[in-house]
mmCIF file of all heavy atoms in Angstrom:
data_model
loop_
_atom_site.group_PDB
_atom_site.id
_atom_site.type_symbol
_atom_site.label_atom_id
_atom_site.label_comp_id
_atom_site.label_asym_id
_atom_site.label_seq_id
_atom_site.Cartn_x
_atom_site.Cartn_y
_atom_site.Cartn_z
ATOM 1 N N TYR A 1 -10.777 -133.611 -140.749
ATOM 2 C CA TYR A 1 -10.944 -134.460 -139.579
ATOM 3 C C TYR A 1 -9.598 -134.503 -138.851
ATOM 4 O O TYR A 1 -8.567 -134.824 -139.435
ATOM 5 C CB TYR A 1 -11.322 -135.879 -139.992
ATOM 6 C CG TYR A 1 -12.800 -136.115 -140.145
ATOM 7 C CD1 TYR A 1 -13.474 -135.701 -141.289
ATOM 8 C CD2 TYR A 1 -13.532 -136.767 -139.152
ATOM 9 C CE1 TYR A 1 -14.831 -135.918 -141.438
ATOM 10 C CE2 TYR A 1 -14.887 -136.988 -139.297
ATOM 11 C CZ TYR A 1 -15.536 -136.565 -140.434
ATOM 12 O OH TYR A 1 -16.882 -136.779 -140.582
ATOM 13 N N GLY A 2 -9.593 -134.169 -137.561
ATOM 14 C CA GLY A 2 -8.369 -134.212 -136.789
ATOM 15 C C GLY A 2 -7.722 -132.847 -136.688
ATOM 16 O O GLY A 2 -7.331 -132.265 -137.694
ATOM 17 N N CYS A 3 -7.607 -132.351 -135.451
ATOM 18 C CA CYS A 3 -7.047 -131.012 -135.252
ATOM 19 C C CYS A 3 -6.079 -131.032 -134.067
ATOM 20 O O CYS A 3 -6.180 -130.230 -133.143
ATOM 21 C CB CYS A 3 -8.167 -129.998 -135.032
ATOM 22 S SG CYS A 3 -7.647 -128.272 -135.283
ATOM 23 N N GLY A 4 -5.142 -132.003 -134.113
ATOM 24 C CA GLY A 4 -4.058 -132.018 -133.142
ATOM 25 C C GLY A 4 -2.985 -131.053 -133.601
ATOM 26 O O GLY A 4 -3.269 -130.067 -134.279
ATOM 27 N N VAL A 5 -1.730 -131.335 -133.270
ATOM 28 C CA VAL A 5 -0.646 -130.432 -133.664
ATOM 29 C C VAL A 5 -0.548 -130.337 -135.177
ATOM 30 O O VAL A 5 -0.498 -129.246 -135.753
ATOM 31 C CB VAL A 5 0.693 -130.905 -133.064
ATOM 32 C CG1 VAL A 5 1.842 -130.069 -133.615
ATOM 33 C CG2 VAL A 5 0.654 -130.809 -131.545
ATOM 34 N N ILE A 6 -0.515 -131.485 -135.847
ATOM 35 C CA ILE A 6 -0.363 -131.488 -137.304
ATOM 36 C C ILE A 6 -1.603 -130.905 -137.974
ATOM 37 O O ILE A 6 -1.518 -130.051 -138.854
ATOM 38 C CB ILE A 6 -0.087 -132.912 -137.806
ATOM 39 C CG1 ILE A 6 1.248 -133.406 -137.236
ATOM 40 C CG2 ILE A 6 -0.060 -132.963 -139.330
ATOM 41 C CD1 ILE A 6 1.550 -134.859 -137.520
ATOM 42 N N GLY A 7 -2.769 -131.364 -137.536
ATOM 43 C CA GLY A 7 -4.003 -130.859 -138.116
ATOM 44 C C GLY A 7 -4.196 -129.373 -137.875
ATOM 45 O O GLY A 7 -4.743 -128.660 -138.718
ATOM 46 N N SER A 8 -3.727 -128.877 -136.730
ATOM 47 C CA SER A 8 -3.895 -127.455 -136.411
ATOM 48 C C SER A 8 -3.132 -126.577 -137.392
ATOM 49 O O SER A 8 -3.652 -125.565 -137.877
ATOM 50 C CB SER A 8 -3.430 -127.176 -134.981
ATOM 51 O OG SER A 8 -4.294 -127.782 -134.044
ATOM 52 N N LEU A 9 -1.864 -126.952 -137.679
ATOM 53 C CA LEU A 9 -1.102 -126.154 -138.641
ATOM 54 C C LEU A 9 -1.749 -126.219 -140.018
ATOM 55 O O LEU A 9 -1.818 -125.210 -140.728
ATOM 56 C CB LEU A 9 0.339 -126.644 -138.725
ATOM 57 C CG LEU A 9 1.216 -125.882 -139.727
ATOM 58 C CD1 LEU A 9 1.348 -124.418 -139.330
ATOM 59 C CD2 LEU A 9 2.584 -126.530 -139.882
ATOM 60 N N LEU A 10 -2.253 -127.391 -140.385
ATOM 61 C CA LEU A 10 -2.917 -127.529 -141.682
ATOM 62 C C LEU A 10 -4.159 -126.652 -141.746
ATOM 63 O O LEU A 10 -4.374 -125.927 -142.732
ATOM 64 C CB LEU A 10 -3.283 -128.993 -141.922
ATOM 65 C CG LEU A 10 -3.984 -129.298 -143.247
ATOM 66 C CD1 LEU A 10 -3.102 -128.948 -144.438
ATOM 67 C CD2 LEU A 10 -4.400 -130.764 -143.314
ATOM 68 N N VAL A 11 -4.981 -126.683 -140.702
ATOM 69 C CA VAL A 11 -6.198 -125.867 -140.674
ATOM 70 C C VAL A 11 -5.843 -124.381 -140.736
ATOM 71 O O VAL A 11 -6.473 -123.601 -141.473
ATOM 72 C CB VAL A 11 -7.024 -126.181 -139.411
ATOM 73 C CG1 VAL A 11 -8.150 -125.152 -139.237
ATOM 74 C CG2 VAL A 11 -7.615 -127.586 -139.497
ATOM 75 N N HIS A 12 -4.824 -123.982 -139.970
ATOM 76 C CA HIS A 12 -4.380 -122.587 -140.005
ATOM 77 C C HIS A 12 -3.978 -122.173 -141.422
ATOM 78 O O HIS A 12 -4.356 -121.098 -141.900
ATOM 79 C CB HIS A 12 -3.193 -122.408 -139.051
ATOM 80 C CG HIS A 12 -2.403 -121.160 -139.286
ATOM 81 N ND1 HIS A 12 -2.902 -119.897 -139.026
ATOM 82 C CD2 HIS A 12 -1.141 -120.981 -139.784
ATOM 83 C CE1 HIS A 12 -1.984 -118.992 -139.335
ATOM 84 N NE2 HIS A 12 -0.908 -119.613 -139.804
ATOM 85 N N THR A 13 -3.231 -123.040 -142.098
ATOM 86 C CA THR A 13 -2.777 -122.729 -143.457
ATOM 87 C C THR A 13 -3.948 -122.639 -144.422
ATOM 88 O O THR A 13 -4.016 -121.729 -145.258
ATOM 89 C CB THR A 13 -1.788 -123.802 -143.938
ATOM 90 O OG1 THR A 13 -0.720 -123.920 -142.995
ATOM 91 C CG2 THR A 13 -1.222 -123.447 -145.304
ATOM 92 N N LEU A 14 -4.881 -123.565 -144.308
ATOM 93 C CA LEU A 14 -6.051 -123.558 -145.187
ATOM 94 C C LEU A 14 -6.906 -122.311 -144.966
ATOM 95 O O LEU A 14 -7.425 -121.726 -145.920
ATOM 96 C CB LEU A 14 -6.881 -124.822 -144.949
ATOM 97 C CG LEU A 14 -6.207 -126.154 -145.301
ATOM 98 C CD1 LEU A 14 -7.056 -127.325 -144.825
ATOM 99 C CD2 LEU A 14 -5.951 -126.245 -146.805
ATOM 100 N N CYS A 15 -7.044 -121.898 -143.713
ATOM 101 C CA CYS A 15 -7.799 -120.677 -143.422
ATOM 102 C C CYS A 15 -7.082 -119.457 -143.980
ATOM 103 O O CYS A 15 -7.716 -118.539 -144.526
ATOM 104 C CB CYS A 15 -8.001 -120.524 -141.914
ATOM 105 S SG CYS A 15 -9.140 -121.706 -141.157
ATOM 106 N N ARG A 16 -5.754 -119.433 -143.850
ATOM 107 C CA ARG A 16 -4.976 -118.291 -144.320
ATOM 108 C C ARG A 16 -5.098 -118.121 -145.832
ATOM 109 O O ARG A 16 -4.983 -117.013 -146.358
ATOM 110 C CB ARG A 16 -3.509 -118.467 -143.926
ATOM 111 C CG ARG A 16 -2.679 -117.204 -144.082
ATOM 112 C CD ARG A 16 -1.292 -117.350 -143.485
ATOM 113 N NE ARG A 16 -0.445 -118.175 -144.315
ATOM 114 C CZ ARG A 16 0.092 -119.320 -143.932
ATOM 115 N NH1 ARG A 16 -0.162 -119.791 -142.728
ATOM 116 N NH2 ARG A 16 0.877 -120.007 -144.741
ATOM 117 N N ALA A 17 -5.367 -119.241 -146.525
ATOM 118 C CA ALA A 17 -5.522 -119.182 -147.975
ATOM 119 C C ALA A 17 -6.895 -118.668 -148.385
ATOM 120 O O ALA A 17 -7.168 -118.523 -149.584
ATOM 121 C CB ALA A 17 -5.277 -120.564 -148.580
ATOM 122 N N GLY A 18 -7.759 -118.401 -147.416
ATOM 123 C CA GLY A 18 -9.082 -117.876 -147.724
ATOM 124 C C GLY A 18 -10.120 -118.941 -148.001
ATOM 125 O O GLY A 18 -11.207 -118.623 -148.515
ATOM 126 N N ASN A 19 -9.822 -120.201 -147.663
ATOM 127 C CA ASN A 19 -10.787 -121.278 -147.870
ATOM 128 C C ASN A 19 -11.872 -121.267 -146.795
ATOM 129 O O ASN A 19 -11.685 -120.733 -145.697
ATOM 130 C CB ASN A 19 -10.066 -122.628 -147.834
ATOM 131 C CG ASN A 19 -9.039 -122.767 -148.947
ATOM 132 O OD1 ASN A 19 -9.373 -122.761 -150.119
ATOM 133 N ND2 ASN A 19 -7.765 -122.886 -148.564
ATOM 134 N N GLU A 20 -12.984 -121.888 -147.101
ATOM 135 C CA GLU A 20 -14.053 -122.102 -146.124
ATOM 136 C C GLU A 20 -13.802 -123.464 -145.478
ATOM 137 O O GLU A 20 -14.083 -124.500 -146.077
ATOM 138 C CB GLU A 20 -15.421 -122.073 -146.812
ATOM 139 C CG GLU A 20 -16.587 -122.220 -145.852
ATOM 140 C CD GLU A 20 -17.930 -122.224 -146.572
ATOM 141 O OE1 GLU A 20 -18.013 -121.667 -147.684
ATOM 142 O OE2 GLU A 20 -18.886 -122.807 -146.015
ATOM 143 N N VAL A 21 -13.257 -123.457 -144.260
ATOM 144 C CA VAL A 21 -12.775 -124.680 -143.620
ATOM 145 C C VAL A 21 -13.739 -125.140 -142.537
ATOM 146 O O VAL A 21 -14.119 -124.368 -141.651
ATOM 147 C CB VAL A 21 -11.375 -124.466 -143.011
ATOM 148 C CG1 VAL A 21 -10.863 -125.770 -142.391
ATOM 149 C CG2 VAL A 21 -10.399 -123.959 -144.077
ATOM 150 N N THR A 22 -14.117 -126.413 -142.610
ATOM 151 C CA THR A 22 -14.953 -127.032 -141.587
ATOM 152 C C THR A 22 -14.152 -128.128 -140.896
ATOM 153 O O THR A 22 -13.633 -129.031 -141.555
ATOM 154 C CB THR A 22 -16.230 -127.643 -142.187
ATOM 155 O OG1 THR A 22 -17.017 -126.607 -142.798
ATOM 156 C CG2 THR A 22 -17.055 -128.339 -141.116
ATOM 157 N N VAL A 23 -14.048 -128.048 -139.566
ATOM 158 C CA VAL A 23 -13.318 -129.036 -138.770
ATOM 159 C C VAL A 23 -14.317 -129.906 -138.024
ATOM 160 O O VAL A 23 -15.231 -129.390 -137.356
ATOM 161 C CB VAL A 23 -12.372 -128.352 -137.762
ATOM 162 C CG1 VAL A 23 -11.703 -129.387 -136.862
ATOM 163 C CG2 VAL A 23 -11.322 -127.526 -138.489
ATOM 164 N N VAL A 24 -14.172 -131.219 -138.127
ATOM 165 C CA VAL A 24 -14.993 -132.143 -137.348
ATOM 166 C C VAL A 24 -14.201 -132.520 -136.103
ATOM 167 O O VAL A 24 -13.141 -133.147 -136.195
ATOM 168 C CB VAL A 24 -15.364 -133.392 -138.151
ATOM 169 C CG1 VAL A 24 -16.158 -134.364 -137.271
ATOM 170 C CG2 VAL A 24 -16.182 -133.017 -139.383
ATOM 171 N N SER A 25 -14.690 -132.119 -134.947
ATOM 172 C CA SER A 25 -14.023 -132.399 -133.674
ATOM 173 C C SER A 25 -15.084 -132.757 -132.640
ATOM 174 O O SER A 25 -15.940 -131.931 -132.320
ATOM 175 C CB SER A 25 -13.204 -131.186 -133.215
ATOM 176 O OG SER A 25 -12.486 -131.469 -132.040
ATOM 177 N N LYS A 26 -15.004 -133.987 -132.106
ATOM 178 C CA LYS A 26 -16.099 -134.491 -131.283
ATOM 179 C C LYS A 26 -15.863 -134.374 -129.785
ATOM 180 O O LYS A 26 -16.766 -134.574 -128.994
ATOM 181 C CB LYS A 26 -16.359 -135.960 -131.639
ATOM 182 C CG LYS A 26 -16.682 -136.171 -133.110
ATOM 183 C CD LYS A 26 -16.863 -137.632 -133.449
ATOM 184 C CE LYS A 26 -17.133 -137.803 -134.941
ATOM 185 N NZ LYS A 26 -17.323 -139.220 -135.336
ATOM 186 N N GLY A 27 -14.652 -134.099 -129.353
ATOM 187 C CA GLY A 27 -14.344 -134.069 -127.929
ATOM 188 C C GLY A 27 -14.330 -132.673 -127.340
ATOM 189 O O GLY A 27 -14.850 -131.707 -127.914
ATOM 190 N N ALA A 28 -13.667 -132.557 -126.175
ATOM 191 C CA ALA A 28 -13.585 -131.279 -125.475
ATOM 192 C C ALA A 28 -12.808 -130.247 -126.296
ATOM 193 O O ALA A 28 -13.072 -129.047 -126.196
ATOM 194 C CB ALA A 28 -12.910 -131.482 -124.121
ATOM 195 N N TRP A 29 -11.877 -130.726 -127.125
ATOM 196 C CA TRP A 29 -11.114 -129.807 -127.955
ATOM 197 C C TRP A 29 -12.031 -129.052 -128.917
ATOM 198 O O TRP A 29 -11.785 -127.891 -129.239
ATOM 199 C CB TRP A 29 -10.035 -130.570 -128.707
ATOM 200 C CG TRP A 29 -9.139 -129.717 -129.546
ATOM 201 C CD1 TRP A 29 -8.967 -129.792 -130.898
ATOM 202 C CD2 TRP A 29 -8.259 -128.676 -129.110
ATOM 203 N NE1 TRP A 29 -8.057 -128.872 -131.341
ATOM 204 C CE2 TRP A 29 -7.600 -128.163 -130.267
ATOM 205 C CE3 TRP A 29 -7.971 -128.113 -127.878
ATOM 206 C CZ2 TRP A 29 -6.678 -127.124 -130.198
ATOM 207 C CZ3 TRP A 29 -7.043 -127.079 -127.803
ATOM 208 C CH2 TRP A 29 -6.409 -126.587 -128.954
ATOM 209 N N GLY A 30 -13.080 -129.708 -129.370
ATOM 210 C CA GLY A 30 -14.037 -129.040 -130.242
ATOM 211 C C GLY A 30 -14.698 -127.858 -129.552
ATOM 212 O O GLY A 30 -14.944 -126.812 -130.170
ATOM 213 N N ASP A 31 -14.989 -128.008 -128.248
ATOM 214 C CA ASP A 31 -15.565 -126.894 -127.486
ATOM 215 C C ASP A 31 -14.587 -125.728 -127.415
ATOM 216 O O ASP A 31 -14.984 -124.561 -127.517
ATOM 217 C CB ASP A 31 -15.923 -127.358 -126.069
ATOM 218 C CG ASP A 31 -17.026 -128.403 -126.067
ATOM 219 O OD1 ASP A 31 -17.854 -128.386 -127.002
ATOM 220 O OD2 ASP A 31 -17.048 -129.233 -125.140
#
């Protein structure tokens, strides 16, 4: 939950590790 600056780097790192990552984003950023 949360994909701002901090969340974005975290999501990038988790994806790079080969995890199956699901991001919950409800606003325009989700689009």
